[in-house]
Amino acid sequence: MTIEVSKANGILTLEFNRIERKNAITSAMYQSLADAINAAQDDTDVRAILLAGKPEAFTAGNDLEDFMKTAATYTGAFGDRPVFQFMRALSGSAKPVVAAVSGLAIGIGTTLLMHCDLVYAADGTKFSVPFTQLGLCPEFGSSLLMPLAGGHARAAEKLMLGEPFTAQEAYDMGIVSKVLPAAEVLDHARAQAAKLVALPAASIRTTKRLMTSSRKAQLEAIIAEESKLFFEMLQGAEAKEAFTAFFEKRKPDFTKFS
């Protein structure tokens, strides 16, 4: 299984398990994640959700081969794509979500963390949101949430240049709750989830709702705009050059585009 799902002591653990591809996410994996998070909302045995990867990689983001194939062949409604189902489930979860991050958190691997409540990262983790390098734009609210968390200047550096940044930088920007040695990350995240389980569930849900409700409408609007532009740009010449260069293992040439 590429998503390991387990439940114990009030914690639903969802673990990326495709390390041979650096936990790159396929449509089937997104669907599994969405289904598990949605099911947890009505499961009284689940009081917290834990997202984790492997020490080598949290996730390298979208599996680009699967992503391109799905983008070209998917016939369902725009917002019904599995990735949308997952992100709606994650951002809309009434129950607290804790993330344990090590190795790599690329693209949506960084974006999704902004929709979690507690994020613990290994000190050697490399983050990046390389959408401009692919001829694309930010996704799933990152153009709103990253500047809100870290300020315009630091967010612009990450979102415009798309270059990797460190766990300490992610902490300084408010994306990460705490940076830990790699060997301690998962245990610490699980212990924090256990603390949430032990607290009054209604109080945790209400506190989370109050913290997120003021930006809910704005976030939904920006996600809709980002998504429209993202898929328009995916059909553009710059994105085609970027993806062709990726698969041909060469550096893309954007100088011919204005």
Side-chain angles (χ1 to χ4, degrees):
M1 296 176 62
T2 51
I3 300 293
E4 290 185 352
V5 181
S6 60
K7 185 170 62 175
N9 303 317
I11 303 170
L12 173 69
T13 301
L14 306 175
E15 186 174 5
F16 296 111
N17 185 29
R18 197 187 179 214
I19 196 60
E20 72 281 1
R21 296 296 298 272
K22 297 181 180 178
N23 287 336
I25 312 172
T26 65
S27 291
M29 293 166 70
Y30 282 125
Q31 192 67 61
S32 295
L33 290 164
D35 292 345
I37 294 172
N38 285 329
Q41 303 309 303
D42 297 320
D43 187 343
T44 56
D45 291 333
V46 174
R47 296 166 73 101
I49 298 168
L50 174 62
L51 290 177
K54 300 295 183 184
E56 305 94 322
F58 178 63
T59 172
N62 283 305
D63 180 301
L64 290 184
E65 291 182 13
D66 178 85
F67 176 77
M68 295 302 293
K69 179 181 177 181
T70 302
T73 62
Y74 188 78
T75 58
F78 182 77
D80 289 341
R81 296 168 187 262
V83 63
F84 280 88
Q85 294 185 47
F86 164 59
M87 289 303 296
R88 275 198 303 270
L90 178 64
S91 63
S93 175
K95 298 184 178 182
V97 181
V98 181
V101 186
S102 297
L104 298 172
I106 309 300
I108 200 166
T110 292
T111 300
L112 71 85
L113 299 176
M114 295 179 232
H115 297 269
C116 297
D117 300 298
L118 304 176
V119 179
Y120 301 101
D123 48 15
T125 305
K126 291 183 179 179
F127 299 80
S128 72
V129 280
F131 304 114
T132 58
Q133 296 181 2
L134 294 171
L136 302 171
C137 67
E139 59 173 7
F140 295 115
S142 55
S143 64
L144 170 68
L145 297 176
M146 190 174 282
L148 282 177
H152 177 86
R154 284 188 290 190
E157 186 176 56
K158 306 303 183 280
L159 289 170
M160 290 184 178
L161 295 178
E163 295 173 345
F165 55 100
T166 67
Q168 184 61 47
E169 288 179 281
Y171 173 78
D172 292 341
M173 291 185 66
I175 297 170
V176 166
S177 307
K178 189 173 185 178
V179 178
L180 298 147
E184 299 177 15
V185 171
L186 183 57
D187 285 345
H188 184 80
R190 189 174 285 117
Q192 295 297 86
K195 291 180 184 178
L196 292 168
V197 168
L199 289 165
S203 294
I204 295 296
R205 291 195 302 270
T206 300
T207 299
K208 176 171 179 170
R209 179 175 58 79
L210 289 169
M211 291 175 67
T212 58
S213 61
S214 64
R215 71 178 188 222
K216 182 178 179 182
Q218 186 182 14
L219 182 59
E220 290 176 350
I222 196 65
I223 288 174
E225 183 177 5
E226 286 172 340
S227 300
K228 179 178 180 293
L229 293 170
F230 188 99
F231 281 97
E232 286 178 358
M233 296 179 78
L234 187 61
Q235 310 304 318
E238 291 174 322
K240 290 178 180 177
E241 165 63 12
F243 281 94
T244 299
F246 175 84
F247 290 117
E248 292 179 354
K249 298 181 179 181
R250 61 173 174 83
K251 186 176 180 178
D253 178 12
F254 298 121
T255 59
K256 53 190 173 184
F257 307 112
S258 60

